[in-house]
Amino acid sequence: MRILVTGSTGQLGTALLSQLRDCNYQVKITSRRKPESMEDFNWVYSDLLSGEGLDEAVKDVDVIIHAATSPTKKSEAIELTGFGNFLSKAQHIQHFIYPSIVGIEDIPFKYYRLKYEAERLLKNSNIPYTIARATQFHSFVENLLLSKPLFNRYVIPGKVKFQSVDVGEYAGYLTDLVNKGPQGKAGDFCGPEILTLKEMAELKIKINNEKNNVLSIPLAGKLYSSLIEGKNTNSMEKIGEITFEEYLRSKLID
Ligand SMILES: NC(=O)c1ccc[n+]([C@@H]2O[C@H](COP(=O)([O-])OP(=O)(O)OC[C@H]3O[C@@H](n4cnc5c(N)ncnc54)[C@H](OP(=O)(O)O)[C@@H]3O)[C@@H](O)[C@H]2O)c1
């Protein structure tokens, strides 16, 4: 089996490369920057915005795991126009695996709307696919919302909820899909517990023995309300086993 992993320098891409390092597949990887440790893989430069390198990337490939994304910069041009162009070059692919995000149709956030439209583009193509949605990664929540205390305080919208998941476990789930073949829309891949952001911040303070404390603030708007309601979670699906607490403890050992 010949696999292409896009977005090989990203959070998910890096975890996928760890999973695929000792596999029997022939693995090609692509991104704009060269990943640091890529000895086992054939790296090809490609850019979803300009289209450069995409033909070379999809050539002689059976399965694509598409982990390239751009949530903030030129997101519409990359998530939709660039993605549509990529699909047009991938007509020969036997299985296109598209990582997506739980609850995107119910959360009013531009990047999520683009991902939902991209799911539709893939469904309407003739390419056999799996759409594999996950909840936010532990590392994503920590780096985005809990990395910068202000005067010893995490000033956060403490009531918003996450069911965060370990990116390595999700990468394992995606690589298992290669053997399973196209599933259409797969079940949501979610973390083992739903926590408020305040609870996550308190865990971080306890485990790292920090002097910081938490100031929880309300925010206005539908995005905030949807995250308080937990639209980004799915309590019926708890597949990941590594908790946010275990993720934080594992970082102390590393
Ligand atoms: N983060 C989360 O919590 C989360 C949760 C659930 C699902 N997901 C999904 O998982 C996937 C991967 O997310 P991630 O968090 O791993 O993303 P990420 O860390 O931001 O990585 C994005 C990757 O895309 C590449 N990229 C960016 N712009 C590009 C362009 N113009 N052309 C080609 N490649 C480009 C980047 O590499 P270069 O800059 O080197 O090109 C990088 O390798 C996405 O589909 C995301 O929606 C993420």
Side-chain angles (χ1 to χ4, degrees):
M1 190 86 75
R2 299 164 303 176
I3 305 179
L4 171 70
V5 176
T6 70
S8 55
T9 50
Q11 293 182 79
L12 178 59
T14 305
L16 285 165
L17 299 200
S18 300
Q19 295 282 340
L20 291 167
R21 191 145 272 130
D22 298 318
C23 71
N24 293 323
Y25 304 130
Q26 204 176 308
V27 182
K28 199 192 278 193
I29 61 175
T30 182
S31 45
R32 293 166 306 167
R33 291 164 294 148
K34 233 180 194 180
E36 273 167 22
S37 54
M38 43 156 278
E39 313 78 47
D40 303 334
F41 309 110
N42 168 19
W43 177 76
V44 173
Y45 173 94
S46 76
D47 186 348
L48 284 160
L49 187 62
S50 66
E52 190 183 343
L54 293 180
D55 289 314
E56 183 58 30
V58 298
K59 200 169 113 192
D60 301 328
V61 163
D62 306 304
V63 176
I64 294 176
I65 307 180
H66 183 55
T69 195
S70 183
T72 50
K73 284 188 206 152
K74 302 203 182 332
S75 54
E76 184 146 2
I78 291 170
E79 301 301 327
L80 290 184
T81 320
F83 182 63
N85 182 34
F86 186 45
L87 289 182
S88 73
K89 294 173 187 296
Q91 296 297 312
H92 60 289
I93 293 298
Q94 294 166 20
H95 187 186
F96 193 106
I97 300 174
Y98 182 73
S100 191
I101 302 174
V102 170
I104 46 179
E105 61 274 55
D106 294 323
I107 303 171
F109 181 51
K110 182 183 172 192
Y111 174 61
Y112 287 5
R113 175 179 59 77
L114 298 174
K115 296 268 322 170
Y116 190 48
E117 285 179 31
E119 285 186 357
R120 279 223 310 262
L121 282 181
L122 180 57
K123 282 182 189 165
N124 293 336
S125 76
N126 291 320
I127 306 168
Y129 67 87
T130 302
I131 293 170
R133 290 181 172 186
T135 48
Q136 286 69 35
F137 306 151
H138 295 318
S139 50
F140 171 81
V141 178
E142 188 194 11
N143 295 338
L144 187 73
L145 298 164
L146 300 176
S147 64
K148 290 191 186 104
L150 197 69
F151 301 112
N152 287 95
R153 270 181 179 173
Y154 290 107
V155 183
I156 49 167
K159 285 186 180 172
V160 305
K161 295 191 185 95
F162 290 100
Q163 189 175 0
S164 59
V165 75
D166 182 79
V167 66
E169 287 186 311
Y170 180 46
Y173 170 74
L174 295 176
T175 51
D176 285 349
L177 285 170
V178 173
N179 265 335
K180 287 192 178 147
Q183 308 284 308
K185 187 168 178 303
D188 292 344
F189 192 90
C190 302
E193 57 189 0
I194 299 176
L195 298 173
T196 64
L197 189 58
K198 181 166 185 281
E199 289 168 326
M200 296 174 97
E202 286 167 349
L203 273 174
K204 185 174 180 191
I205 290 167
K206 184 182 86 178
I207 287 159
N208 294 342
N209 214 3
E210 296 177 18
K211 292 204 168 60
N212 301 312
N213 52 48
V214 181
L215 175 62
S216 181
I217 50 159
L219 296 177
K222 289 184 181 161
L223 172 60
Y224 176 61
S225 310
S226 65
L227 297 179
I228 287 185
E229 285 171 42
K231 298 283 192 199
N232 55 330
T233 66
N234 182 348
S235 57
M236 306 299 284
E237 301 270 9
K238 295 180 184 174
I239 303 174
E241 291 180 358
I242 299 172
T243 63
F244 185 63
E245 177 163 355
E246 286 165 339
Y247 154 79
L248 292 172
R249 288 195 192 283
S250 72
K251 286 181 66 186
L252 291 180
I253 298 162
D254 288 348

